[in-house]
Structure formats: structure tokens, C-alpha cells
Amino acid sequence: MSTGTFKSGGTDKWRLHIVTWNVATAEPPEDVISLLQLDVQTSTDLYVIGLQEVNAAPMRFISDLLAEDSWSHLFMDTLAPKGFVKVTSVRMQGLLLLVFAKHVHLPYIRNIQTTYTRTGIFGYWGNKGAVSVRFSFYGHMMCLLNCHLAAHITNALQRVDEFEYILETQDFDIFDTPHVLDHKVVFWFGDLNFRIDDHGLHFVRSSINSGRFNLLWSKDQLITMKKNEPFLQEFEEGPLNFKPTYKFDHKSDTYDTSSPKTWLGFNGKKRKPAWTDRILWRIKPLPSEEEEDDDVDDKASTSTDNMQDEYPFLVTQNAYTSDMSYGVSDHKPVVANFTLELRKCFNMPLVHVSPEGVWSADQNAFLTYVVQEDFMSSTWDWIGLYKVGFKHTSDYETFVWVREDELPEVNEVIQRSVDKEKIPLLGGEYVLGYYSTNMNSIIGISENFQILESKRGVMADPIPEDINGISK
């Protein structure tokens, strides 16, 4: 399934892997190799993981604010050795959104911003709502939206209203894409909580057991709601050719077998299976002739539309399925794999950064950086020294501030020194990354280079137990 308009020639293809999973406050499984398809897939460029119901008990949530939560640790520990870096993350109580990229793409992921919207308890509580990340990918504006909408089968219309409210209220400090739907492509996913209407429990389960999922599509609430809601019709979704992902017994592939509950004389009932967990996407529509006439004085809209025509964007969904091998939650995770075909709006980093001469902890080291294209630089920008395989942009060994007395000219070569006391004693393979505080991203990264083992490190007897963050 492909969407988007495209002109031939001069294009590149990227692979995007999206995961959505309501983890029901559980601790992570032993590994997520299957979930990320690392055992069968090697060409992924971007990983996006949206979780719902991450444990947000008060003390646990506070500890997660001070240090990465256990789910983030697992994904970083799994992806970093494969060359992926956590670009950004955003958390609102139980909602968590993580974005990873191959480190070679880091200089081309710019203007990262995050936001969130509460919809629980009339907008005052964050157990329901949405978290989002927006950024420019090789000049193309993308937005990722992880939602957890209202529960229960009777609240289908409320779920649509909540999503519309999220789209209307989330905004970004970017002049040409201030709202979610201004972006060239939006990926919308999460525990959207839409259920299967009308059909009884027995019919639903027999249809699932026989693999005739299509018999249930006409009563899926999201599919039926799209028929009456024009803004939903702009979002596309692959066919639901996998088992409904809710509700399962704990650590089981068996749908809910809990006994009907009785409380003050009211009878409970088993949950009917449903595709609550979904992944959809939207390519920004080209304006009609009437809209173009209306927007003739709107420079931001005209600019964006021209960019879309000159630099089109094609989305092809390669896979859309669930992973039944994980049982820590009463939901099964859903994964989708996409090919993004686009023409780069630029192919040169904003900053070129490189080490100079020999690096070791026996002497001060030097680096140079060159601004290759004018951008909103800041004296708060810095250059970090990262060990190859680093996990996120703050995972540096040391850093130096950029020149503070004056902003650089384009193509001016600027040298900075690194104190030998800050250089790792044991050496190893490293990179330098220029971090822009205005763009919230690394906008220049060096080639890999070797730091030699220090003579001080060799002569030290004994070598400290923890040096360079490595336990000896």
C-alpha cells in the first residue's frame, strides 16, 4: 500500500519501523529482538516506539524522571550496539514515545520538538491523551503521535472527539508547521481503544479462530467512524489481517477467560476481542484550486505546498501485524514497517566537525568545526565526545562549548581544545558531535576516530575499577 505523489529521479528510500504497545504497567520482557525484527531485518533507518500504560505509580514516576525508565533502557541497550541513537523521547504519565535513528542520519534530523495533551478527567489527568514528536527529516516535516484514547465499547464518539481535540490543541514553535496536520506526513498510533460493535462474543471468537478477520471489519468502530468523519478519512491504514490484540490472559495467547464479576449485584462480562492497538498515517493533501486562491496571501502555506510539489514524499507500508510472542501485558504489540521514498532537500550537514592530530589522555587534544550553512547558532551549542555505540545525545564522555565570544561566519575554521584530563584513559573508537540547542539535535558528526590508550592508563597499578564507564 503506497500513498503520496511522486516525481521520478533523484530519490532515496528509508525504512521506518513503528511499534505500539499497551504494556499494562508491566516490567519489560527479557528482550525485544523479535519486536524490533532485528533477527530478520537489517536495513531499518528509524525506529519509533509508542507505549501506553507504562508504570506511572507516584514513586515510580518520580524515579523515572530522575533516570531513564526500564523500558527506555531496554530499547537503548538493544539498539545502541546496532548503531542506533535515541534522538528524543517524551513522557506523559503512562504514555511514552521513543525515536531512534541510525547515527549517520543524525545531522539530517533537525528542529525536534515534543508536546503532550491530557484528555483524562476533563483534561486534567494524563492517564489518557497523546504525546507527540515532530522533526525535519532531510528537510521533510514529520510528526509522530502516540495516543491512548477513552476506553469502553460505548465511547466510540468520545474517542473521535478526543482525537480531534488533540489535533486542534497541539502546537509547535515552528512557523510553517505549527500544528500536527501541517506536517507533510503524520504517523498516528497507540491504544486507540476502538472496539467491535454488534457482533456477539461467540461470533467474534469463531471468526478469529477460522482466520476470517474480514467478517469483523464492517463492525470495527474506527473503520465505521471514518465513513462519517472527513478528517479521519485522510488517515490511511493497512488491512487488519492479524488477530485482534486485546484482551488476552496474562502470559498467554488465550483471549480473556476471566469469570464474570459480581459487584453489588451488577454482573460483569468478559472483554470481547478488539483491534484496540492501531497504526495509521496521513500524507498532507495537495490543496485544491479554491484553497490555493484562498491561501494566496498565506506565505507559510504556499511555501509548504511548493515544497511538497518540488520535494514529494511517498509512503509504502510493507508490513502491518501483531507479535503474539509477548505475554507481559493483556495487549499484544502491533508493528508496522514502512518504506519512505523522498528527495532530500539537502545532503550536507550544517556543521562539519573533525578531530585534529593524535588524541590520547597524555596531552590536550584539538578539534575543528566549520559552519557550512548559516543557521540559528548559539553560544550554548556544544561539541560532545561520544564513544561509538552511544545511546543518546547526552551520552557523551566529555564536551566543550563552541566559541563564546562571537558567532561563526560560514566556512570559518574554528579550533577548540579538549583538556587531557577529560579524555578517556583507555582510548577506543569515538566520534565528535555538534549539538544545536535551538534545534535540539546533533547537526554535525565526525567520522569515527581512534583515541590511543594513555601511558598513564597503562602505568596505573591497579587500573581503577570503573574507568571510561567500563567495569574492569
Side-chain angles (χ1 to χ4, degrees):
M1 177 181 291
S2 302
T3 55
T5 57
F6 218 84
K7 298 176 181 178
S8 61
T11 63
D12 290 281
K13 294 182 179 181
W14 319 102
R15 292 292 287 269
L16 166 66
H17 187 90
I18 298 179
V19 174
T20 180
W21 193 5
N22 182 321
V23 299
T25 73
E27 286 301 297
E30 290 185 5
D31 72 71
V32 285
I33 300 296
S34 172
L35 186 63
L36 301 175
Q37 297 180 2
L38 292 172
D39 48 352
V40 297
Q41 180 175 298
T42 58
S43 59
T44 302
D45 297 282
L46 298 169
Y47 277 102
V48 175
I49 296 102
L51 304 180
Q52 307 86 41
E53 292 194 24
V54 175
N55 191 339
M59 292 307 297
R60 181 59 176 270
F61 186 65
I62 291 172
S63 68
D64 288 347
L65 291 176
L66 300 175
E68 296 279 7
D69 63 275
S70 56
W71 286 92
S72 295
H73 272 299
L74 175 61
F75 285 109
M76 287 191 294
D77 291 345
T78 303
L79 288 171
K82 303 291 185 180
F84 289 90
V85 177
K86 189 185 80 171
V87 174
T88 191
S89 65
V90 56
R91 172 105 184 250
M92 181 186 74
Q93 285 181 230
L95 275 167
L96 175 64
L97 178 56
L98 304 163
V99 180
F100 293 85
K102 273 279 181 72
H103 89 273
V104 295
H105 300 314
L106 294 180
Y108 308 102
I109 299 175
R110 304 174 184 172
N111 295 316
I112 300 169
Q113 291 189 13
T114 65
T115 190
Y116 61 87
T117 302
R118 299 185 181 97
T119 59
I121 311 182
F122 308 106
Y124 290 100
W125 193 243
N127 64 318
K128 295 291 194 296
V131 292
S132 61
V133 170
R134 65 87 53 209
F135 55 85
S136 161
F137 183 67
Y138 288 92
H140 296 264
M141 307 305 177
M142 298 177 60
C143 187
L144 310 166
L145 192 61
N146 174 23
C147 290
H148 192 185
L149 304 180
H152 307 305
I153 194 168
T154 56
N155 289 331
L157 187 57
Q158 180 181 339
R159 288 187 271 278
V160 174
D161 289 342
E162 285 181 352
F163 182 52
E164 191 167 23
Y165 172 76
I166 289 165
L167 293 178
E168 290 173 350
T169 57
Q170 288 204 349
D171 52 26
F172 304 97
D173 186 22
I174 301 289
F175 81 96
D176 56 351
T177 53
H179 305 293
V180 171
L181 296 185
D182 294 326
H183 291 77
K184 185 173 287 188
V185 61
V186 177
F187 290 94
W188 171 37
F189 47 90
D191 181 358
L192 308 186
N193 251 323
F194 289 102
R195 310 302 173 96
I196 297 173
D197 273 330
D198 297 340
H199 292 315
L201 178 62
H202 177 75
F203 180 82
V204 171
R205 290 194 172 183
S206 64
S207 299
I208 295 169
N209 291 337
S210 63
R212 295 181 295 173
F213 306 125
N214 60 302
L215 298 180
L216 307 176
W217 294 346
S218 64
K219 300 300 181 181
D220 174 80
Q221 291 178 337
L222 180 54
I223 292 174
T224 57
M225 284 290 176
K226 286 182 69 173
K227 296 176 182 178
N228 301 317
E229 299 288 348
F231 82 99
L232 287 180
Q233 292 168 13
E234 295 180 357
F235 285 87
E236 302 197 44
E237 183 180 22
L240 299 169
N241 286 325
F242 54 91
K243 287 184 176 183
T245 51
Y246 177 80
K247 175 182 181 177
F248 287 86
D249 288 342
H250 186 57
K251 294 185 177 180
S252 169
D253 292 340
T254 304
Y255 286 104
D256 186 14
T257 59
S258 58
S259 300
K261 299 176 182 178
T262 301
W263 182 72
L264 296 179
F266 295 98
N267 291 325
K269 60 180 180 180
K270 299 174 184 176
R271 292 287 196 276
K272 186 164 58 174
W275 287 288
T276 57
D277 311 284
R278 313 286 276 267
I279 300 173
L280 298 91
W281 72 97
R282 173 191 183 269
I283 296 287
K284 185 180 179 184
L286 290 171
S288 64
E289 291 184 5
E290 291 181 0
E291 289 173 325
E292 286 182 334
D293 292 338
D294 292 340
D295 290 341
V296 67
D297 295 325
D298 188 340
K299 293 182 180 179
S301 176
T302 303
S303 171
T304 302
D305 297 336
N306 288 342
M307 284 285 287
Q308 185 161 334
D309 184 58
E310 185 178 358
Y311 295 97
F313 199 113
L314 181 69
V315 175
T316 303
Q317 188 177 67
N318 306 309
Y320 186 35
T321 187
S322 60
D323 192 327
M324 292 288 165
S325 66
Y326 292 93
V328 298
S329 168
D330 54 0
H331 290 251
K332 299 296 183 182
V334 170
V335 298
N337 186 271
F338 298 90
T339 296
L340 311 179
E341 187 174 355
L342 55 92
R343 183 177 297 118
K344 298 176 183 177
C345 299
F346 47 76
N347 55 17
M348 182 176 67
L350 290 173
V351 177
H352 176 77
V353 58
S354 61
E356 295 295 316
V358 176
W359 279 54
S360 81
D362 295 324
Q363 59 193 23
N364 291 346
F366 295 91
L367 62 86
T368 59
Y369 69 94
V370 179
V371 173
Q372 302 186 116
E373 183 181 333
D374 193 26
F375 70 99
M376 192 181 295
S377 59
S378 166
T379 55
W380 291 102
D381 293 353
W382 45 269
I383 299 170
L385 174 66
Y386 295 94
K387 191 171 181 62
V388 170
F390 67 103
K391 299 177 182 179
H392 52 85
T393 53
S394 298
D395 188 21
Y396 48 77
E397 300 290 330
T398 187
F399 73 94
V400 293
W401 296 108
V402 299
R403 188 176 65 188
E404 299 181 13
D405 51 350
E406 58 181 313
L407 295 178
E409 299 289 336
V410 174
N411 295 326
E412 178 186 3
V413 179
I414 301 171
Q415 186 180 76
R416 304 297 291 166
S417 64
V418 181
D419 192 302
K420 65 182 180 181
E421 299 298 331
K422 302 293 186 180
I423 298 175
L425 287 172
L426 294 182
E429 196 171 13
Y430 287 82
V431 294
L432 295 165
Y434 184 110
Y435 186 86
S436 165
T437 55
N438 288 322
M439 294 189 182
N440 298 313
S441 60
I442 291 176
I443 59 172
I445 196 163
S446 73
E447 297 290 334
N448 294 6
F449 69 98
Q450 196 74 24
I451 294 180
L452 302 180
E453 185 174 8
S454 167
K455 295 176 182 177
R456 292 187 295 132
V458 173
M459 295 171 60
D461 185 26
I463 293 177
E465 289 185 5
D466 188 3
I467 191 167
N468 289 7
I470 301 173
S471 180
K472 292 297 290 179

